[in-house]
Amino acid sequence: MYYIEMHGHMVSRTTDDYREMAMAGCVAVSEPAFWAGWDRASADGFEDYFRQLTEFEPKRAAQVSIRHVTWLCLNPKEGEDRRLAAEVLKRIPRYLDRPNVMGIGEIGLNRVTRNEIATFNDHVQLALDFNQLILIHTPHLEDKYKGTRVTIENLQRSKGLKANRVLIDHAEEHTAGMILDAGFYAGFTLYPNTKVSAARAVDMIEKYGSDRVTVSSACDWGPSVPTAVPQLMLEMRQRGHSEAAIRKVVFENPLEFLMQSGKFELPRLGIHAAVPSATTVS
Amino acid sequence: MTKQGTCPLTTGQIIDEYFIENRTRLIELAAFLERIDRSADGGDAHGDFRMTAFHQALHILASNAPDKMDQVQFIFSDLTIEPRETLDTKSASGAWNPASEVA
């Protein structure tokens, strides 16, 4: 079965990982900009990173017939630095018309500070100004619930924002309901230690349904498994879920979301770029 | 949230499939707690906010409470509303520390 990896930090992964993912059925990878594990020293550092995401990674993925798309931002871990954020945000627009850029992300909150919220709102406004999709990181561990609440409250105050053009990622049992009830897409990320196991992700799909739900490995430089999505597919299959139900979560839902960019396409599968209609946040 | 019937497996099938891995997890928990008892300094783990939450979560697991998943998640969560004025640390610790909000 084909699947779309909705959240993979491939700059941290090897070409062997791309190959393993391709052999497991991955046809596209969506790579949000994120934290390098240390703070970048300047906006120039971000520009190098944006070039890597928009020039180098698409070529590396294409070697194994994977379509690579990306998201640009200054990540939540660096959102506290308002001066750096302002400089990076000024430079992002020049990359937005590149063919593999889907939108702004992964933006969001880390420790839920006032500066982080201000930087988050600046990114949301940038996305609105340039009609971009938004991919959102929610905080880890004890900060997740509060951070998700604050994120949703701020999104709902953003004039003109359409909920179905926003994916709120790293959802867990105590946040999935509020994300989906507000009309956003919810992402479950499959991490071996933190975040969500394949079994728990399937539990949530069973409890909340599969509409507007995506799953991903969120593979990066930390402990993570690039082929975690096929593990979830196996978990669903072992529980007796239909092939159609599995395909909806791992392929159709991410496809539906990405197609709103007007740029996402999988020509090899006969899927070409188109812009469907959207609904407004309630 | 309890939604009986949403998992397609029967009770017996769920136990057959998941018992061994969860038995392993319980034994890992026992080993972790015993390791603390054997610590080099014999320190009191109960004074650590993370272990306070940990024991509250164990209590929920051992109870007949419905919605165990939500309750455990909330035990470890910061349920306050106000943003932090400044960044205290880059990384989360796994449990909310009430003392950090007072400081």
Side-chain angles (χ1 to χ4, degrees):
Chain A
M1 182 182 294
Y2 294 137
Y3 76 93
I4 295 172
E5 171 57 67
M6 261 311 290
H7 189 142
H9 298 294
M10 301 310 294
V11 301
S12 300
R13 309 302 309 196
T14 66
T15 300
D16 287 340
D17 290 334
Y18 270 122
R19 186 175 173 82
E20 290 292 322
M21 293 165 75
M23 289 192 294
C26 181
V27 291
V29 174
S30 152
E31 176 161 11
F34 83 136
W35 191 49
W38 53 281
D39 290 350
R40 294 179 178 86
S42 69
D44 289 341
F46 280 87
E47 289 225 46
D48 285 340
Y49 181 38
F50 296 158
R51 287 186 53 221
Q52 184 179 15
L53 291 171
T54 58
E55 296 172 15
F56 183 65
E57 286 304 323
K59 290 177 186 167
R60 210 157 68 101
Q63 289 174 351
V64 289
S65 300
I66 288 178
R67 164 98 165 126
H68 179 278
V69 296
T70 194
W71 306 76
L72 306 178
C73 72
L74 173 140
N75 64 83
K77 289 259 192 187
E78 287 161 320
E80 187 70 10
D81 188 338
R82 294 286 293 141
R83 195 170 65 176
L84 179 63
E87 184 58 35
V88 173
L89 263 79
K90 272 195 294 190
R91 300 187 187 200
I92 288 175
R94 74 182 70 154
Y95 295 91
L96 292 178
D97 62 354
R98 294 197 170 188
N100 74 327
V101 176
M102 297 290 102
I104 302 299
E106 59 181 304
I107 59 172
L109 307 175
N110 178 39
R111 292 289 283 170
V112 199
T113 69
R114 294 194 185 282
N115 279 349
E116 289 173 7
I117 294 169
T119 298
F120 171 73
N121 284 328
D122 287 346
H123 276 98
V124 171
Q125 191 56 54
L126 179 72
L128 290 170
D129 291 345
F130 288 86
N131 194 30
Q132 298 291 306
L133 296 176
I134 299 175
L135 196 157
I136 294 178
H137 162 98
T138 50
H140 301 296
L141 303 171
E142 74 268 23
D143 298 316
K144 184 171 297 295
Y145 181 74
K146 178 179 183 174
T148 305
R149 280 175 67 187
V150 172
T151 295
I152 290 174
E153 287 168 8
N154 279 272
L155 289 171
Q156 290 179 324
R157 282 197 290 265
S158 297
K159 198 175 176 184
L161 186 86
K162 295 169 180 171
N164 66 339
R165 290 176 61 80
V166 179
L167 167 61
I168 301 181
D169 219 336
H170 312 317
E172 293 188 22
E173 291 83 357
H174 54 327
T175 60
M178 72 170 100
I179 294 168
L180 292 168
D181 287 348
F184 302 104
Y185 278 77
F188 302 145
T189 44
L190 309 168
Y191 255 33
N193 295 327
T194 58
K195 303 192 177 74
V196 174
S197 66
R200 280 174 53 205
V202 178
D203 288 337
M204 285 190 280
I205 291 166
E206 290 170 349
K207 288 198 283 188
Y208 294 104
S210 59
D211 288 348
R212 286 178 283 110
V213 165
T214 69
V215 294
S216 67
S217 73
C219 59
D220 55 20
W221 44 261
S224 49
V225 180
T227 51
V229 172
Q231 291 176 5
L232 173 130
M233 293 156 66
L234 180 60
E235 176 76 23
M236 289 185 75
R237 206 167 278 135
Q238 286 175 322
R239 291 195 195 184
H241 290 282
S242 70
E243 293 301 300
I246 300 169
R247 180 181 160 89
K248 176 176 168 61
V249 174
V250 303
F251 184 78
E252 291 172 8
N253 286 351
L255 178 68
E256 177 185 74
F257 181 70
L258 292 169
M259 289 295 282
Q260 296 180 89
S261 70
K263 291 196 280 188
F264 187 78
E265 57 184 5
L266 294 168
R268 191 161 59 89
L269 303 183
I271 296 168
H272 300 282
V275 185
S277 61
T279 56
T280 305
V281 66
S282 56
Chain B
M1 176 190 291
T2 299
K3 288 188 174 180
Q4 186 181 345
T6 54
C7 179
L9 301 179
T10 65
T11 300
Q13 288 171 326
I14 293 170
I15 295 170
D16 286 346
E17 181 64 30
Y18 298 102
F19 178 78
I20 295 293
E21 69 184 62
N22 286 292
R23 174 188 182 277
T24 303
R25 289 184 177 119
L26 271 181
I27 291 171
E28 289 288 337
L29 288 180
F32 168 56
L33 294 172
E34 189 178 304
R35 200 173 305 136
I36 290 173
D37 290 341
R38 297 188 294 104
S39 68
D41 64 350
D44 179 16
H46 294 288
D48 187 302
F49 69 95
R50 294 167 297 184
M51 292 309 296
T52 300
F54 193 91
H55 283 284
Q56 288 172 351
L58 288 178
H59 181 73
I60 294 295
L61 294 184
S63 74
N64 291 321
D67 304 332
K68 287 185 173 62
M69 192 72 230
D70 282 351
Q71 289 198 49
V72 169
Q73 288 277 23
F74 286 135
I75 283 170
F76 290 113
S77 296
D78 177 358
L79 301 178
T80 65
I81 296 171
E82 283 300 305
R84 287 186 172 86
E85 293 300 330
T86 56
L87 185 67
D88 53 352
T89 174
K90 286 269 192 196
S91 301
S93 57
W96 179 57
N97 183 4
S100 71
E101 303 299 317
V102 176

